Amino acid sequence: MTHTTPAIKPTNVLFIICDEMSRQSLSCYGNQLVKTPNIDRLVREGSCFTQAYTPSPICVPTRASLATGQYVHQIGTWSSAEPYDGSVPGWGHQLLDKGHTVTSVGKLHYRSAEDNNGFSEEIMPMHVFRNIGWPIGLLRDQIYSYDGAPEMAQNVGAGESDYTRYDAKIAAESCRWIADAGKQQDASETAKPWVLFSSFVAPHYPLIAPQKYYDMYPPESVDMPLNYAQEERPQHPEVAAMARFWSYDDHFSEESLRKGRAAYYGLCSYLDHHVGMLIKALEDAGLYDSTRIIFTSDHGEMLGNRGLWGKSVMYEESVGIPMIISGPGIPAGQRIDTPVSLIDCHRTVLHSVLGETQQDAATHSHSLIDMANGFVPDRTLLSEYHDGGCTTGFFMIRMGDWKFTHYVGRPPQLFNLKDDPWNRMIWEAQKYIRTFALSAWQNSVKSVTRKRSMNRPSVTSK
């Protein structure tokens, strides 16, 4: 469906993205334990999308989709060994072509800073290892478990890590950049709107939080994972295969599990502190009222629920993400149940900076600004996974209250999110076929993927 966004006043964009934050870990999404007052402020002053999803629940593929507004299967960034290289132009390239400044600070996880990634400048970028990434993500024969799994349980608690120190530098550099932007705006009445892409690592593991933030969550008081008992864990063959590969839970005791969850919550509050620093920098520079702020994450985190840690599966904790937008023209204090995707940030940034934008035939992206003001697109949302640990590709689609996961060559899963937001109850697929015509869901997957290959070609270690 073609949709032309209504014209709005162009503004700057501060795009804040973090890594591995499940929306269920934020107080503004209902978590009564975690303290995130600065992110809560963005919700009070803007709009919060309660049903936001990643296009792929792992870093490298989803960041390519974020850059381009296209799904993983469209651009071929299937796995962590196929990072974005700038060859498919994204929102950054379009803004650069129109003379706007587009700056990144922090983690990108693209191929290389030598590529044209759509930024005027990349400050302290983190890209994939040796410009290659993680070739294990290409394998499908599962000859072993992930050898880094023990580290997650072994390195938990209070302290500093390379990532927490990196995030502190990202916050400081972002604040410095904002202060300079404020001075430049004061000196020029014709300055074009800019984009600052501030990309943090927290709350990505290692599950080590600075002492001040770890102490906010005594391990003995944190909640235990959902569906953690052996008899409550998923029995689906592909999910079981993923659990064997990502064998994090095999290395946790109850003590280290509680410390790990406490540290994760501490990292969420640590990130929130940095969000507060950026908000204050905008206010001090006189830019807060002329800047729209987007806050989101690349994907979620299972955090032990169902015996799973990390991401890479299609349960809500992994595939669901926070999505908040605030600033000029955004209704305040609004919670929106319309399903949205990280790919929608593509058109949102263009809409915000340029004032209007037309639907790009290559993308499924829609403006969050439009949706915050009542527009409801007629579409099916997609998330897909073809990376480490899987023996086959799998796809999640979201239509109305229903979520359907299609595993190529494996049984499907079906959940009703209205009645079962935590995906505890799997509907009987055969019963659904008879009653609601499950084939319609499979046809939806095919239509969203535009009849391209639905499964990355298999690579084995042989």
Side-chain angles (χ1 to χ4, degrees), residues 110-125:
Y110 299 162
R111 185 178 68 175
S112 170
E114 300 301 314
D115 295 325
N116 177 7
N117 296 316
F119 295 106
S120 316
E121 181 184 14
E122 296 179 11
I123 301 173
M124 300 187 307

Side-chain angles (χ1 to χ4, degrees), residues 343-370:
I343 66 169
D344 291 323
C345 294
H346 171 83
R347 197 168 184 203
T348 304
V349 173
L350 293 174
H351 190 191
S352 186
V353 174
L354 301 178
E356 60 183 349
T357 176
Q358 292 190 349
Q359 183 72 40
D360 182 345
T363 79
H364 295 269
S365 181
H366 289 278
S367 172
L368 296 170
I369 300 169
D370 284 356

Side-chain angles (χ1 to χ4, degrees), residues 126-140:
M126 178 194 293
H127 289 295
V128 298
F129 184 63
R130 293 181 177 175
N131 303 340
I132 296 171
W134 190 54
I136 292 173
L138 295 169
L139 300 179
R140 284 280 171 89

